Amino acid sequence: MRAYVPDYKLVTPKVLSDALGVLAREPGVWQPFAGGTDLMVLLESGRLTNKNYLNIWNLAGLRGIAATTDHITLGALTTYTEVQSDPILREEFPMLCQAASETGGLAIQNRGTIGGNIANASPAADSPPALLAYNAELELLSVRGSRWVPYQSFHTGYKQMIMQPDELLARVRLPRRWPDLHHYYRKVGTRKAQAISKVCFAATARINEGIVDLVRIALGSIAPIPLRCIKTEDALRGARLEPSIIEKAKAELAREIVPIDDIRSTKDYRLRVSLNLLEDFLVQLASDRVVTD
Ligand SMILES: Cc1cc2nc3c(=O)[nH]c(=O)nc-3n(C[C@H](O)[C@H](O)[C@H](O)COP(=O)(O)OP(=O)(O)OC[C@H]3O[C@@H](n4cnc5c(N)ncnc54)[C@H](O)[C@@H]3O)c2cc1C
């Protein structure tokens, strides 16, 4: 049942420093409200337990995409539509653009934010695997200052994060300049569009003189958190992509992940699909054909 709206408070600070002040004065009381695409679903279904919200949508300090020689940095309020239309992201980070294009429909893409997708901490979210495979870093901001953390260490358990109650997720930073990098992203759901992932697979790799010299593999919807598959990567790094290595990597992935059973899929299906996607990625990589869809 829909919640009773007058029970809720929403404050709208004009500038970022005011928003951080609100969080600092009463940590854990005020919850950020960005695009609202996750929060409004909870409101509509009467499951929005917290009553106090901090509207961050108008904070210019959390917007914009900026590029330097070494990084591209996205404000936490960057929408999926903005991700897809940025020329550098399209050129250098195609998996993030693909994740954005496969997230919800146009209305969700215009309103949903990259920061909200991360902070909502759903294991089925679609941008986290791409962010993991691109070695993203996150800026957490509070009145105490700013700290950059590797995204890989951000999620600590189901819906658990290292972000403190007085902190906002401010920016997402992606390291640039990976010549000859291959990208492979697949979202597997019940339908081609408007579906929640059963498995989401993102991988980057580089081959140098026939040897895998860089590889990063991440999976969504497979564990309580978006997962970087470090042991599978270790089995591939420094190897020549022969059939025996591909089989070894698949065996390692089967050991490394413990897929979940839930209403959307079974652990057996998730394991099978994950292994198939890894094989597809590696076979394409071996023949130098890897691109996103
Ligand atoms: C119809 C529909 C389809 C969807 N399809 C997909 C899909 O295909 N793939 C997918 O991954 N998701 C999907 N979503 C989920 C949702 O759209 C995304 O997770 C979106 O990115 C959330 O962003 P938001 O700004 O709307 O977050 P909000 O709803 O505003 O917030 C979500 C959570 O993050 C916190 N938060 C937000 N911003 C910050 C910040 N800067 N700092 C700290 N905490 C913050 C909020 O407090 C809240 O807990 C869908 C949702 C709907 C309703």
Side-chain angles (χ1 to χ4, degrees), residues 215-218 228-237 256:
V215 59
R216 291 191 290 258
I217 298 168
R228 176 97 182 261
C229 302
I230 301 287
K231 289 181 180 162
T232 308
E233 294 172 7
D234 288 345
L236 288 163
R237 198 173 300 102
E256 186 163 22

Side-chain angles (χ1 to χ4, degrees), residues 31-41 53 56-57 62 76-77 80 102-105 108 111-120 124-128 163 167-170 187 194-196:
Q31 186 178 346
F33 192 107
T37 60
D38 278 311
L39 290 172
M40 288 305 288
V41 172
Y53 290 89
I56 59 173
W57 184 253
L62 302 179
L77 292 176
Y80 297 110
E102 295 186 23
T103 294
I108 295 295
R111 185 77 194 181
T113 65
I114 204 83
N117 202 223
I118 294 168
N120 190 54
D126 290 318
S127 56
M163 186 163 59
E167 286 180 318
L168 273 179
L169 171 52
K187 168 176 174 170
Q194 300 269 28
I196 299 178

